[in-house]
């Protein structure tokens, strides 16, 4: 462990899960089903043709995603994302720690990485 890590360098990553991704086969049917069981009216748009975000009472989001549906079995899709206010600082922080980063910063606001056990995760500047 390097000296900076021993000193407890302040992490830019918040200890909060911002969203949980759920792989679904049909985004419209999934939106309707999840909203129904949660007692909500579907009131947002389906984003990019494959995403629907359900805001949860605790401020987190449930992200239904039909694009990742076939990938879930391969472990390539993130299980959830950690929030950050500075995506570049977070990317650099994990890179310095030797974390296995699996993507560049995409669209200026997120990147993927894996934990030591191979679980795909994401950091997102929201």
């Amino acid at each position: 462990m390097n000296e900076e890590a021993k000193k407890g360098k302040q992490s830019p990553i918040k200890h909060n899960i911002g969203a949980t991704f759920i792989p679904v086969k049909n985004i419209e049917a999934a939106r309707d089903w999840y909203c129904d069981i949660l007692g909500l009216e579907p009131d947002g748009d389906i984003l990019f043709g494959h995403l629907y975000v359900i805001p949860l009472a605790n401020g987190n989001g449930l992200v239904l995603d039909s694009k990742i549906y076939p990938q879930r079995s391969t472990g390539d899709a993130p299980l959830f994302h950690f929030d950050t206010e500075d995506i570049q600082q977070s990317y650099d922080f994990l890179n310095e720690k030797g974390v296995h980063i699996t993507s560049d910063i995409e669209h200026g606001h997120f990147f993927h990485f894996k934990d030591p056990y191979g679980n795909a995760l994401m950091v997102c500047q929201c």
Side-chain angles (χ1 to χ4, degrees), residues 17-37:
I17 294 174
T20 301
F21 287 81
I22 307 261
V24 298
K25 189 171 185 176
N26 179 302
I27 193 66
E28 292 87 1
R31 173 202 57 202
D32 295 346
W33 189 84
Y34 275 94
C35 286
D36 181 49
I37 66 166

Side-chain angles (χ1 to χ4, degrees), residues 31-72:
R31 173 202 57 202
D32 295 346
W33 189 84
Y34 275 94
C35 286
D36 181 49
I37 66 166
L38 295 172
L40 302 170
E41 288 294 321
D43 65 352
D45 294 328
I46 292 173
L47 305 171
F48 311 109
H50 67 95
L51 294 171
Y52 186 78
V53 181
I54 300 172
L56 301 176
N58 62 2
N60 297 339
L62 187 61
V63 180
L64 308 177
D65 189 347
S66 62
K67 190 173 182 180
I68 66 171
Y69 176 75
Q71 297 175 13
R72 179 56 71 192

Side-chain angles (χ1 to χ4, degrees), residues 37-114:
I37 66 166
L38 295 172
L40 302 170
E41 288 294 321
D43 65 352
D45 294 328
I46 292 173
L47 305 171
F48 311 109
H50 67 95
L51 294 171
Y52 186 78
V53 181
I54 300 172
L56 301 176
N58 62 2
N60 297 339
L62 187 61
V63 180
L64 308 177
D65 189 347
S66 62
K67 190 173 182 180
I68 66 171
Y69 176 75
Q71 297 175 13
R72 179 56 71 192
S73 63
T74 66
D76 293 334
L79 299 173
F80 56 84
H81 79 252
F82 291 106
D83 291 340
T84 186
E85 292 179 2
D86 188 324
I87 196 66
Q88 185 65 56
Q89 185 180 12
S90 297
Y91 185 91
D92 294 344
F93 177 79
L94 292 181
N95 196 36
E96 289 170 8
K97 289 194 164 290
V99 171
H100 181 195
I101 297 174
T102 59
S103 77
D104 292 327
I105 296 173
E106 298 183 28
H107 305 289
H109 71 94
F110 71 90
F111 66 91
H112 297 157
F113 65 100
K114 289 195 175 188

Side-chain angles (χ1 to χ4, degrees), residues 1-11 93 97:
M1 184 177 280
N2 67 32
E3 286 304 311
E4 199 167 62
K6 288 179 185 177
K7 292 179 184 177
K9 181 177 178 184
Q10 193 69 1
S11 174
F93 177 79
K97 289 194 164 290

